[in-house]
Amino acid sequence: MEIIIKDNFDFVVEEIAKEIENLIKEKPNAVLGLPTGNTPLKMYSKLIEKGKKGEIDFSNVRTFNLDEYAEIKADDPSSFRYYMFQNFFNHINIKKENIHFPPSELKNIYENCKKYDKTIENLGGIDLMILGIGRNGHIGFNEPTSSLDSRTRVKTLTEETLKINNIKFEGVKYPDLAVTMGIKTILSSKRIILIAEGEGKAEAIKKTVEEPVGAMWPSSVLQMHEKVKIIIDEKAASKLKLKDYYKRIYSRKVYVDALLKEKN
Ligand code: PGA
């Protein structure tokens, strides 16, 4: 795991936007895994800005969103599809046919979840999965005790998540059911970057990075992936025991990379 601690969240946004820009420059039809929530909002604004300036061309990029509420219409303001179009897709030159969301309708859900995973696979897998994190360590809607081997499926949300997400549920028939990429789906991405802001996430970040892998803190499973970056602000990093060590590694990264290149 590479832990990158920034003085404030604006620098986190700079860093993640740069990662995405570099990836798309290198691979114009990159496959991105995308989150919703409050944390990525500034990242989406930054990416829109880069799109408008011509620094990123999204015209061949493919995207897969992490999750969606069950049985919610795309035009419902609580839906993640609505969020994504309002906050990102409507403002960039991405093609509609390259945007993918997990199925929301419960009819044929097993089949459609399998199809979702299969479509990701058929496009060569997710090049870069971007994650937020819940205070309870969920990634996507993989709540505590999710199978670490899970694929895209229906999950029942915890009371804590329901409260925090503060969803407007009028007209939504099954407010605590969501469809999420599974943990295995997430782990099958080539690279993963998790971003977090603020003290509210400090405990979850500590469990993710420095405590044993376990289903009670689903994000801890990221320790099992070869290419993970955790990019966070000082407050989200405040409970990390080895904080100074991570900072030292990061400050010497350019030097060490050059050294290894020279020797090999
Ligand atoms: P947040 O949600 O960015 O709104 O804190 C993150 C998550 O629940 O994954």
Side-chain angles (χ1 to χ4, degrees):
M1 270 184 167
E2 193 178 342
I3 320 297
I4 302 175
I5 301 165
K6 297 283 180 184
D7 287 347
N8 65 55
F9 193 66
D10 287 341
F11 294 128
V12 173
V13 171
E14 290 282 337
E15 186 85 10
I16 180 79
K18 197 80 205 141
E19 289 271 1
I20 296 168
E21 181 181 345
N22 290 343
L23 170 66
I24 298 173
K25 288 220 162 99
E26 195 182 299
K27 183 176 178 187
N29 66 346
V31 179
L32 300 178
L34 298 177
T36 49
N38 289 322
T39 311
L41 282 171
K42 282 189 182 166
M43 173 188 84
Y44 289 132
S45 301
K46 188 87 202 163
L47 292 175
I48 291 168
E49 196 184 303
K50 284 181 178 286
K52 292 205 161 123
K53 282 192 201 152
E55 291 168 9
I56 306 184
D57 175 11
F58 292 95
S59 60
N60 290 307
V61 168
R62 285 85 55 91
T63 65
F64 287 86
N65 264 83
L66 267 168
D67 42 19
E68 178 57 288
Y69 295 110
E71 296 282 333
I72 195 166
K73 297 270 180 285
D75 61 359
D76 187 312
S78 289
S79 82
F80 288 161
R81 282 163 289 173
Y82 186 88
Y83 168 108
M84 287 305 299
F85 278 93
Q86 289 294 312
N87 293 305
F88 191 37
F89 295 144
N90 284 342
H91 312 284
I92 57 170
N93 65 338
I94 192 165
K95 294 190 185 87
K96 277 241 164 69
E97 65 265 30
N98 288 341
I99 297 170
H100 303 85
F101 286 95
S104 171
E105 269 184 43
L106 294 179
K107 192 166 166 56
N108 298 326
I109 191 71
Y110 296 115
E111 197 185 318
N112 288 332
C113 283
K114 259 194 199 136
K115 262 193 210 158
Y116 196 60
D117 284 334
K118 193 79 201 151
T119 311
I120 294 175
E121 226 179 282
N122 289 344
L123 292 183
I126 291 173
D127 292 299
L128 177 60
M129 178 84 237
I130 299 147
L131 297 174
I133 185 171
R135 284 167 186 248
N136 63 359
H138 70 204
I139 44 177
F141 272 142
N142 293 286
E143 297 281 42
T145 71
S146 284
S147 162
L148 302 187
D149 216 25
S150 50
R151 295 287 184 176
T152 301
R153 72 210 183 292
V154 175
K155 274 304 287 181
T156 301
L157 302 178
T158 59
E159 278 77 17
E160 189 188 2
T161 297
L162 288 171
K163 218 180 279 164
I164 290 171
N165 281 19
N166 191 23
I167 311 147
K168 312 267 180 307
F169 281 129
E170 304 102 54
V172 179
K173 231 171 160 182
Y174 310 102
D176 65 345
L177 292 185
V179 182
T180 181
M181 274 188 203
I183 291 185
K184 197 165 190 176
T185 319
I186 293 171
L187 287 184
S188 61
S189 309
K190 290 169 200 151
R191 288 170 61 211
I192 301 173
I193 299 181
L194 183 148
I195 55 172
E197 174 185 22
E199 246 166 69
K201 300 291 173 71
E203 184 67 17
I205 290 298
K206 176 183 153 72
K207 299 280 183 188
T208 305
V209 176
E210 297 183 337
E211 297 207 358
V213 173
M216 273 306 280
W217 291 89
S219 51
S220 63
V221 79
L222 296 177
Q223 293 173 32
M224 308 288 290
H225 193 283
E226 207 185 354
K227 288 192 172 152
V228 173
K229 283 188 188 178
I230 309 278
I231 312 180
I232 52 182
D233 68 352
E234 277 285 351
K235 286 181 177 160
S238 58
K239 294 196 174 169
L240 291 173
K241 232 178 175 167
L242 302 184
K243 199 166 111 179
D244 293 341
Y245 174 55
Y246 310 135
K247 285 188 174 179
R248 180 157 57 84
I249 294 173
Y250 186 61
S251 70
R252 283 164 44 92
K253 189 176 158 49
V254 175
Y255 164 74
V256 173
D257 284 352
L259 178 70
L260 292 175
K261 203 171 164 194
E262 182 199 311
K263 302 271 182 199
N264 289 281

